[in-house]
Amino acid sequence: MIDINTTPLIDVMLVLLIMLIITIPVQLHDVKLDMPTAPPQNQKLQDPLIIRVEIGADGSINWNGEIAQTRERLQTLAEQAALIQPQPEIHIRVDRSSKYGLAAQVLSASSNAGLSKIGFVGLEAFIK
């Protein structure tokens, strides 16, 4: 017989295929979330401190009643807020005609200071 016997080749390929299937890690389709835990029964719940940040159409940033004219001042205010325990909530209200870069500055300063409870309020003004 002149033809090459391919049966051993096929056997080796099947063994390699089975080894590959066995060694592939199992794909888990779960999302890891850090869910809040319930406070102890004897602990009284208190409302979190809310810091209101308003970004005006003229480029002004009003941090809880105080105007932050420079980036450094904005960063200082965010760092002061990060020292408060429990961590305050940052509510950002943006004027419809303000620049996106101002909101990015506020988010960047808050994130760099370690604040994690940040949210936008008043977004119904952007619905057409």
Side-chain angles (χ1 to χ4, degrees), residues 39-95:
Q41 295 293 343
N42 58 358
Q43 182 181 5
K44 184 178 179 183
L45 293 177
Q46 63 181 11
D47 291 333
L49 176 67
I50 295 175
I51 296 177
R52 289 176 175 77
V53 180
E54 297 177 7
I55 301 174
D58 58 350
S60 63
I61 299 174
N62 188 341
W63 183 282
N64 220 21
E66 182 178 339
I67 298 199
Q69 296 177 349
T70 62
R71 233 182 242 194
E72 291 79 20
R73 182 64 184 150
L74 181 65
Q75 186 66 40
T76 304
L77 289 170
E79 289 170 357
Q80 289 173 355
L83 296 176
I84 301 171
Q85 291 300 327
Q87 193 176 71
E89 293 181 3
I90 308 296
H91 291 189
I92 303 172
R93 183 177 299 274
V94 183
D95 189 86

Side-chain angles (χ1 to χ4, degrees), residues 3-123:
D3 293 336
I4 296 176
N5 188 2
T6 58
T7 304
L9 179 65
I10 293 172
D11 290 345
V12 168
M13 294 301 291
L14 286 173
V15 168
L16 289 175
L17 180 65
I18 290 170
M19 293 299 290
L20 178 70
I21 290 172
I22 290 173
T23 59
I24 291 176
V26 178
Q27 295 291 328
L28 299 176
H29 300 285
D30 58 345
V31 177
K32 297 193 183 330
L33 295 175
D34 292 331
M35 299 299 291
T37 58
Q41 295 293 343
N42 58 358
Q43 182 181 5
K44 184 178 179 183
L45 293 177
Q46 63 181 11
D47 291 333
L49 176 67
I50 295 175
I51 296 177
R52 289 176 175 77
V53 180
E54 297 177 7
I55 301 174
D58 58 350
S60 63
I61 299 174
N62 188 341
W63 183 282
N64 220 21
E66 182 178 339
I67 298 199
Q69 296 177 349
T70 62
R71 233 182 242 194
E72 291 79 20
R73 182 64 184 150
L74 181 65
Q75 186 66 40
T76 304
L77 289 170
E79 289 170 357
Q80 289 173 355
L83 296 176
I84 301 171
Q85 291 300 327
Q87 193 176 71
E89 293 181 3
I90 308 296
H91 291 189
I92 303 172
R93 183 177 299 274
V94 183
D95 189 86
R96 185 180 179 97
S97 58
S98 66
K99 294 185 179 180
Y100 172 76
L102 296 173
Q105 285 179 8
V106 172
L107 289 173
S108 175
S110 301
S111 177
N112 290 341
L115 296 168
S116 61
K117 298 177 182 179
I118 305 169
F120 286 92
V121 296
L123 295 179

